[in-house]
Amino acid sequence: MASDATRQLFLTGLRNAHAMEHQARELMERQIERSTDYPQVEARLRQHLEETKTQIERLNTIFDELGESHSEFKDAAMAFLGNMAAIGHAVAPDEILKNQLANNAFENYEIAAYKSLLALAQDGGASASAVNTLKQNLAEEEAMAKWVSEHVGEVTLDYARRTHAS
Ligand code: MG
Ligand code: FE
């Protein structure tokens, strides 16, 4: 049974997720431009950027289903994600490394956000297909988090080699 309080919590979580994904998209667009020396990173970011655009569409579909317009609200500023974005901006020689660490944090933040949403979804009034949609987003975040975690060592050594070579 959907209680009004749970529905409100769920909607707030959805709006936060929407803001988070917009932040993710901007972050990756910036990082892609700056990752051309690291083709493996660039390729994975491009893949996840496309996934992220689809994630935003999935969230919009849920808003539509719930009769909530996604254009009626402004995405809330989120301090944590703002900080991550600032790291994305930073022009430092080891930017590529800082971005891997930031992305590790960001993807794990997204995982927690979707788990939180899924905990509320059923009582919050989400349909079975909306729940599946959130699970698809979660699975993509988990795959990206795994990739970042598995490649941070390799990217670090690649960076170290380039630094010594120059
Ligand atoms: Mg995402
Ligand atoms: Fe993500």
Side-chain angles (χ1 to χ4, degrees):
M1 275 292 272
S3 77
D4 198 51
T6 310
R7 182 186 160 97
Q8 287 312 314
L9 262 183
F10 180 59
L11 284 171
T12 300
L14 277 178
R15 290 183 181 117
N16 288 337
H18 196 267
M20 171 183 82
E21 295 302 354
H22 276 274
Q23 195 90 76
R25 188 175 71 188
E26 284 174 30
L27 206 56
M28 280 184 286
E29 282 169 350
R30 262 201 311 277
Q31 286 189 18
I32 284 166
E33 286 172 18
R34 310 182 62 83
S35 301
T36 47
D37 287 345
Y38 298 82
Q40 229 193 335
V41 173
E42 185 190 353
R44 191 60 180 88
L45 285 171
R46 283 188 188 282
Q47 181 192 330
H48 198 50
L49 175 61
E50 291 313 306
E51 288 168 350
T52 299
K53 290 175 183 170
T54 304
Q55 290 173 356
I56 292 170
E57 285 169 18
R58 291 190 190 118
L59 291 173
N60 288 342
T61 303
I62 299 176
F63 284 117
D64 290 341
E65 258 186 43
L66 293 169
E68 298 282 325
S69 165
H70 40 85
S71 56
E72 274 174 24
F73 63 87
K74 290 241 193 294
D75 287 338
M78 297 168 79
F80 171 82
L81 298 174
N83 289 338
M84 291 297 115
I87 292 170
H89 272 306
V91 180
D94 61 348
E95 182 184 10
I96 186 77
L97 298 189
K98 290 189 169 112
N99 285 343
Q100 301 322 298
L101 306 189
N103 291 350
N104 191 79
F106 198 105
E107 298 304 330
N108 279 284
Y109 183 98
E110 291 186 285
I111 288 169
Y114 283 112
K115 285 183 175 172
S116 174
L117 269 177
L118 280 161
L120 293 169
Q122 206 181 354
D123 285 351
S127 68
S129 81
V131 169
N132 277 331
T133 277
L134 292 172
K135 285 181 180 169
Q136 279 178 288
N137 284 13
L138 173 61
E140 289 167 356
E141 308 308 3
E142 286 174 335
M144 184 60 176
K146 186 168 185 279
W147 191 92
V148 172
S149 174
E150 284 178 354
H151 288 80
V152 66
E154 192 184 320
V155 175
T156 301
L157 293 177
D158 192 1
Y159 170 74
R161 271 190 300 272
R162 287 163 189 276
T163 304
H164 289 303
S166 62

